[in-house]
Amino acid sequence: MVKPPSPLSALESALLALLRQAPLSGYDLRRVFADTPFVHFSDSPGAVYPALRRLEARGLVAAERRRPEGGRGRRGFVLTARGRRALESWLRLPVTVDELAQGRDVALLRFAFTEEVLGRAACVRFLEGYAAALETHVTSLEDYARRNLEGAPLSGRLAFECGVEGFRARLDWCRRAVTRFEQEKK
Amino acid sequence: MVKPPSPLSALESALLALLRQAPLSGYDLRRVFADTPFVHFSDSPGAVYPALRRLEARGLVAAERRRPEGGRGRRGFVLTARGRRALESWLRLPVTVDELAQGRDVALLRFAFTEEVLGRAACVRFLEGYAAALETHVTSLEDYARRNLEGAPLSGRLAFECGVEGFRARLDWCRRAVTRFEQEKK
DNA sequence: TAGATCATGTAATTTGTTACATGATTCG
DNA sequence: CGAATCATGTAACAAATTACATGATCTA
């Protein structure tokens, strides 16, 4: 009864993605989360260091200690071969409607790293899947609104509309993004 | 050394908001989360029942047991006076840029309940604060993109653009929403 | 040399997830 | 009657937050 490897958390996957090129230390990674204004993860040491440890324990990253002398030195982490594979399979995850309904858009984060790791063809495939999920989701949201938001107060209806518009805007973006990739191919 | 009351979690606040009118049971609340396709909270019993217990322990909700005979009966929860006050101060929280950067848009959830609890004037005030926070955030995102996304791969730049567009769309929505409230006043 | 920031970590607490347990009620 | 679903809960575990601790290095 060896427990099957649980899927990586969003934070863990993001760490893998950030380590894909250069070795970074826990502190470096914390700085990225602290300074990057988009797709926020916790920059608290209590989140980042244990997450790195978990990745290390799974053999997805390895520490190359620079100054092993004093005990506590700056430790840069690199992706192992298994780590690279794990990153790739995370990036290959199809976008699900569930994921969209959840709020935090990890799908977009995956897309951000897709080109470098999997190439442009994978980007276009991703966008097609994203668009399909978005269409389904928008349709079901509109259905819900029609059925349940008849007598709701204005602020409630407006808030819902705002959400739906957000998804529609993303759908629009998907289509434009595909076009951009096709233009670049030429 | 009485610990100061920690702020309510998003789930706890959402529960208060849902209980604002009619008494609902834990199961009712779970159904809402399971069936409502927008602003997702966990419908798992391990999340909802303990959260209700915490609210009860704080004196924000009270259980009115319908069938106290057998031991386990359906328990409807109602807001207490303190609970109503807690709900109101949650709804009055100003939108912060931090909150926007975080992804999950609880601000929008607050807005959805604002009209019923605080009235239309409060809705307009909320929208003005929301718009101000959005403007600041969009500006800082654009700054970041200009400074850090020059040589980035296309998929990275596109993902970032998608995010920025989303916030801009919300800003647009804010302005239209204010107009809607002004039209209704007449 | 004193204070800030770099850099790593741990401990306590809280929260959420998953899975299970329990019993009542409804419906074919 | 038996299965589904209503309805409430607990237990084990995983993860994040906050706060604290530690020491090195840089800089005014």
Side-chain angles (χ1 to χ4, degrees):
Chain A
M1 248 222 215
V2 250
K3 56 182 169 184
S6 57
L8 296 174
S9 72
L11 171 61
E12 288 164 346
S13 306
L15 290 175
L16 288 187
L18 291 171
L19 291 172
R20 77 200 175 283
Q21 289 195 316
L24 295 173
S25 70
Y27 192 77
D28 293 334
L29 293 162
R30 288 179 57 208
R31 306 276 30 203
V32 172
F33 293 145
D35 300 340
T36 303
F38 186 54
V39 186
H40 185 68
F41 288 98
S42 168
D43 66 324
S44 82
V48 173
Y49 291 109
L52 280 169
R53 290 303 195 75
R54 291 195 296 271
L55 293 174
E56 198 181 15
R58 279 168 174 238
L60 304 181
V61 306
E64 34 140 86
R65 55 173 65 66
R66 297 259 177 78
R67 314 168 208 166
E69 342 90 16
R72 287 187 180 195
R74 179 197 165 83
R75 310 204 306 156
F77 288 90
V78 225
L79 280 195
T80 62
R82 285 186 60 188
R84 218 162 285 118
R85 281 199 297 277
L87 172 59
E88 283 168 25
S89 58
W90 179 64
L91 291 176
R92 271 190 242 276
L93 283 181
V95 183
T96 64
V97 175
D98 250 37
E99 184 178 12
L100 296 180
Q102 215 83 355
R104 303 202 115 225
D105 204 335
V106 270
L108 208 55
L109 183 65
R110 290 208 299 281
F111 179 72
F113 293 107
T114 295
E115 184 172 2
E116 275 175 298
V117 180
L118 300 177
R120 301 212 158 176
C123 287
V124 175
R125 278 197 301 277
F126 182 96
L127 288 169
E128 283 160 359
Y130 198 3
L134 281 165
E135 268 180 78
T136 306
H137 191 47
V138 166
T139 304
S140 91
L141 287 174
E142 283 165 346
D143 271 20
Y144 178 84
R146 218 170 297 122
R147 261 180 283 127
N148 301 285
L149 255 50
E150 278 305 319
L154 182 55
S155 76
R157 290 200 314 272
L158 283 169
F160 197 88
E161 263 179 45
C162 179
V164 179
E165 281 177 24
F167 287 112
R168 262 198 293 256
R170 260 184 178 63
L171 183 52
D172 216 67
W173 168 86
C174 273
R175 283 154 184 167
R176 276 176 290 138
V178 170
T179 313
R180 285 277 284 278
F181 276 103
E182 278 163 359
Q183 281 174 349
E184 298 266 332
K185 222 186 307 184
K186 288 180 291 194
Chain B
M1 241 216 225
V2 249
K3 56 182 169 184
S6 57
L8 296 173
S9 72
L11 171 61
E12 288 164 345
S13 306
L15 290 175
L16 289 187
L18 291 171
L19 291 171
R20 78 199 174 282
Q21 290 196 317
L24 296 174
S25 69
Y27 192 78
D28 294 334
L29 293 161
R30 289 179 58 208
R31 306 280 22 207
V32 173
F33 294 144
D35 300 340
T36 303
F38 187 54
V39 186
H40 185 69
F41 288 99
S42 168
D43 66 323
S44 82
V48 173
Y49 291 110
L52 281 169
R53 291 300 196 78
R54 292 194 297 272
L55 292 174
E56 198 180 15
R58 277 168 175 239
L60 304 182
V61 305
E64 33 141 84
R65 55 172 64 66
R66 296 261 178 77
R67 315 169 207 165
E69 343 89 17
R72 285 185 182 195
R74 178 197 166 82
R75 309 206 304 158
F77 287 90
V78 224
L79 281 194
T80 62
R82 285 187 60 189
R84 219 163 283 118
R85 281 199 298 276
L87 173 60
E88 284 169 23
S89 58
W90 179 64
L91 292 176
R92 269 190 244 277
L93 283 181
V95 182
T96 64
V97 175
D98 250 38
E99 185 179 12
L100 296 180
Q102 216 82 356
R104 301 202 116 225
D105 205 335
V106 270
L108 208 54
L109 184 64
R110 291 208 298 282
F111 179 72
F113 293 106
T114 295
E115 183 172 3
E116 275 175 299
V117 180
L118 300 177
R120 302 210 157 177
C123 287
V124 175
R125 279 197 301 278
F126 182 96
L127 289 169
E128 283 159 0
Y130 199 4
L134 282 165
E135 270 182 76
T136 306
H137 191 48
V138 166
T139 305
S140 91
L141 287 175
E142 283 166 346
D143 271 23
Y144 178 85
R146 219 170 295 122
R147 261 181 283 127
N148 302 286
L149 255 50
E150 278 304 319
L154 182 55
S155 77
R157 291 201 313 273
L158 283 170
F160 197 88
E161 262 178 47
C162 179
V164 178
E165 280 176 25
F167 287 114
R168 262 198 293 258
R170 259 184 180 62
L171 182 52
D172 216 68
W173 168 87
C174 272
R175 283 156 185 165
R176 275 177 290 139
V178 170
T179 313
R180 286 276 285 276
F181 275 104
E182 279 163 358
Q183 282 174 347
E184 297 266 331
K185 223 186 308 185
K186 288 180 290 194

